[in-house]
Amino acid sequence: MKRLFFNVAGPCVPGSHYMIDASRRLGKEVHALIYDAQYFVIHAARQSGKTTLLKDLVRNLHGGDYYALYCSLEGIQGISDPREGIPAIVKTIRIALADYGFPDFATFAQDADETDFANGLRSALTAYCRRLDKPLIIFFDEADCLSEQTLILFLRQLRNGYINREMVPFVHSLALVGLRNIRDFKVHVRPDSDTLGGASPFNIAAESLTLRNFTEGEVGELYAQHTAATGQLFTPDAIAKVYQQTLGQPWLVNAIARECVEKITARDATLTIDYAMIEKAISTLILRRDV
């Protein structure tokens, strides 16, 4: 549940693995939801620690009372036809099971009928859960990459499995993770004036959670890790300026510090990062229109 500091697209500064525990910004609800066998949503902006959080949750949960799987759906983006989209999701799950060394992963959807895209995902998950000796949790990252009928059938099959779990084995707890709340997934599917009927696939989520921004204290804590590692100081008014201008948005907090460390001070740790440097970094990011 941690994330890299000064890391936008990959490690930028040698040894710059400065981290803040993302679980502080999510709250304890996620563990209660999993214990209660609920399906839920986690949504937050990019570069806010979602994926790192999920992978840490998987590490903490897997091998204890549960099997826990992280599965990114990013590769399914743009496949709106469910005849292609649903089999692609099934294959993505199979690959994730193999990557994480799940028991009998090779048997997942082994005899699946790929032409049965309306039931294939639910059937594969049911058959696999029946063989497992512990409940299965799945975190579907980038779930809002799915669109149109692929998204509809994905959610409908999850809903079908969810409401029939007392009679038929299925996923114990499941999270849909992305930039958007599940209610906002509908923009990928239909105008607001249309209806999907009473059995809406969008009503399976018990809760919608989001990662809050850093507090000012956490910004200072993050920067202090850089100071401890390199000796380079941030003045108190510099830290306050960063928080005032970003309200703790993680990508901005990181980008400003990265600009100061890499460009303005040219990685010279003897130079203290002060208020003026922070102002210069902010102006540079604005003019470059970094996103």
Side-chain angles (χ1 to χ4, degrees):
M1 287 177 279
K2 298 175 181 178
R3 68 185 307 276
L4 295 181
F5 174 51
F6 305 159
N7 178 25
V8 178
C12 304
V13 181
S16 63
H17 296 267
Y18 313 139
M19 306 173 184
I20 287 291
D21 190 344
S23 65
R24 299 186 205 170
R25 300 184 290 127
L26 184 63
K28 299 178 180 179
E29 296 96 329
V30 64
H31 295 286
L33 288 166
I34 291 169
Y35 180 81
D36 291 337
Q38 297 294 333
Y39 289 13
F40 56 98
V41 172
I42 300 174
H43 64 98
R46 294 199 184 280
Q47 297 291 330
S48 56
K50 296 188 303 298
T51 298
T52 312
L53 166 68
L54 299 181
K55 291 184 176 180
D56 206 58
L57 281 171
V58 166
R59 281 191 293 270
N60 290 335
L61 292 166
H62 187 70
D65 295 328
Y66 307 101
Y67 290 113
L69 179 69
Y70 169 84
C71 182
S72 174
L73 299 177
E74 186 174 8
I76 320 297
Q77 186 172 12
I79 305 178
S80 58
D81 187 340
R83 290 173 294 186
E84 299 177 34
I86 297 301
I89 292 170
V90 171
K91 290 177 183 177
T92 299
I93 295 172
R94 185 190 300 135
I95 291 169
L97 291 169
D99 287 345
Y100 283 89
F102 269 62
D104 299 325
F105 64 82
T107 66
F108 181 78
Q110 186 176 36
D111 302 315
D113 178 3
E114 292 193 1
T115 65
D116 186 15
F117 56 89
N119 300 291
L121 174 63
R122 180 188 59 79
S123 297
L125 287 170
T126 291
Y128 189 67
C129 288
R130 185 175 278 120
R131 291 192 292 272
L132 293 177
D133 59 347
K134 291 184 288 189
L136 175 65
I137 303 164
I138 302 180
F139 298 96
F140 282 114
D141 201 3
E142 306 288 352
D144 49 354
C145 283
L146 303 181
S147 60
E148 299 182 31
Q149 291 304 308
T150 292
L151 172 60
I152 287 290
L153 280 181
F154 171 71
L155 293 176
R156 284 205 189 282
Q157 291 182 64
L158 294 183
R159 183 180 185 277
N160 190 318
Y162 173 82
I163 63 178
N164 289 296
R165 287 182 304 173
E166 291 185 4
M167 299 175 290
V168 182
F170 202 65
V171 180
H172 170 81
S173 182
L174 182 149
L176 301 173
V177 185
L179 300 178
R180 303 171 182 84
N181 194 345
I182 192 169
R183 293 187 302 272
D184 301 324
F185 285 16
K186 296 181 183 180
V187 301
H188 293 267
V189 178
R190 61 171 177 84
D192 287 339
S193 58
D194 293 344
T195 179
L196 292 169
S200 171
F202 298 99
N203 64 6
I204 64 170
E207 295 287 344
S208 179
L209 310 177
T210 190
L211 292 174
R212 63 168 176 79
N213 287 345
F214 295 144
T215 65
E216 185 171 353
E218 287 169 340
V219 173
E221 181 183 340
L222 195 65
Y223 289 179
Q225 292 178 37
H226 175 72
T227 299
T230 67
Q232 186 169 41
L233 297 170
F234 286 80
T235 63
D237 60 344
I239 294 170
K241 177 68 173 178
V242 170
Y243 183 74
Q244 177 194 30
Q245 292 296 307
T246 67
L247 296 180
Q249 203 285 328
W251 188 90
L252 290 171
V253 170
N254 287 343
I256 292 168
R258 180 172 176 242
E259 185 69 21
C260 290
V261 169
E262 288 198 336
K263 304 292 179 61
I264 297 175
T265 66
R267 305 191 191 189
D268 183 350
T270 64
L271 298 176
T272 296
I273 296 174
D274 58 18
Y275 186 96
M277 291 180 185
I278 296 296
E279 282 197 318
K280 182 178 180 181
I282 291 170
S283 297
T284 299
L285 293 178
I286 291 171
L287 290 173
R288 280 204 315 245
R289 299 184 179 182
D290 284 3
V291 295

